[in-house]
Amino acid sequence: MTQEELLPQIYKKDDRAFTLMYDMYSKSLYSVIYNLVRDQEEAEDVLQETFVKIWKNIDSYNESKGRFYTWILNIARNTTIDKLRSKGYNNKQKNLSSDNFVHLLDDSNKLTNKIDTIGIREFVKKLKPKCIQIIDLLFFKGYTQQEASDELQIPLGTVKTQNRNCINDLRNFLKV
């Protein structure tokens, strides 16, 4: 069934349409959600919540404003962001046991070894100290640009510009 055939059935609240919609879109929405929450159980919960919101709010979808997939993707993103900002989620993250972090240390060492193996760290060391600091935060430590801005106590726009310039410098090193 195509999306064009599916939409009228969803509007009618046909139970089979829900199943078809889930089958068509769940994998791609799950990967978007998982990339934000980085936890399988949380991602599955958010995915379920996303489909419930889609089903309940289907009447607010307007085909003239954009594609159906874009609309449901925005619902998934917004639901995930709401989850990440929720007080309960933040408290849960604060209360994780140390067992949850053991694999992170192992993964971090593996990542460092991989980075050293392919030689990227050597190229990064050739950059200006400010670039080293920004790339370390954004790429090696996984900070968002806003978090890097807060950490370095510089404006977000400056982080974005310096990041772009540093990446260009790194590209130039790699061309040689």
Side-chain angles (χ1 to χ4, degrees), residues 45-61:
D45 287 347
V46 173
L47 181 66
Q48 180 179 359
E49 193 175 329
T50 298
F51 275 100
V52 168
K53 284 183 179 182
I54 292 167
W55 193 250
K56 285 183 176 180
N57 298 308
I58 191 62
D59 294 330
S60 68
Y61 170 63

Side-chain angles (χ1 to χ4, degrees), residues 1-10 14 16-21 23-25:
M1 181 176 276
T2 67
Q3 177 181 307
E4 290 76 26
E5 298 168 329
L6 179 63
L7 274 174
Q9 299 303 318
I10 295 172
D14 182 340
R16 291 178 307 173
F18 182 87
T19 304
L20 288 169
M21 178 180 64
D23 291 344
M24 286 175 73
Y25 299 110

Side-chain angles (χ1 to χ4, degrees), residues 3 21-29 51 68-69 72:
Q3 177 181 307
M21 178 180 64
Y22 186 88
D23 291 344
M24 286 175 73
Y25 299 110
S26 62
K27 288 180 183 174
S28 59
L29 294 181
F51 275 100
F68 180 69
Y69 179 73
I72 65 173

Side-chain angles (χ1 to χ4, degrees), residues 59-151:
D59 294 330
S60 68
Y61 170 63
N62 184 342
E63 291 180 51
S64 67
K65 291 185 178 181
R67 294 178 39 218
F68 180 69
Y69 179 73
T70 305
W71 183 72
I72 65 173
L73 186 63
N74 283 328
I75 291 174
R77 278 186 64 254
N78 292 340
T79 303
T80 306
I81 291 168
D82 290 347
K83 180 67 152 188
L84 292 172
R85 289 180 179 163
S86 72
K87 190 174 185 178
Y89 180 82
N90 288 321
N91 286 340
K92 180 181 173 189
Q93 296 301 351
K94 289 177 187 175
N95 296 327
L96 292 175
S97 73
S98 60
D99 295 341
N100 289 311
F101 296 99
V102 172
H103 75 280
L104 291 177
L105 294 173
D106 290 343
D107 289 348
S108 172
N109 290 335
K110 290 176 191 170
L111 179 61
T112 301
N113 291 339
K114 286 179 188 172
I115 291 165
D116 289 340
T117 302
I118 61 175
I120 296 294
R121 194 171 292 281
E122 290 307 311
F123 286 106
V124 171
K125 286 180 186 176
K126 294 178 183 177
L127 296 171
K128 295 177 247 170
K130 195 56 142 182
C131 285
I132 293 171
Q133 197 174 26
I134 287 175
I135 288 178
D136 183 56
L137 290 175
L138 295 176
F139 296 98
F140 296 126
K141 293 184 178 167
Y143 280 45
T144 64
Q145 290 180 337
Q146 182 62 57
E147 290 168 338
S149 168
D150 296 342
E151 177 76 18

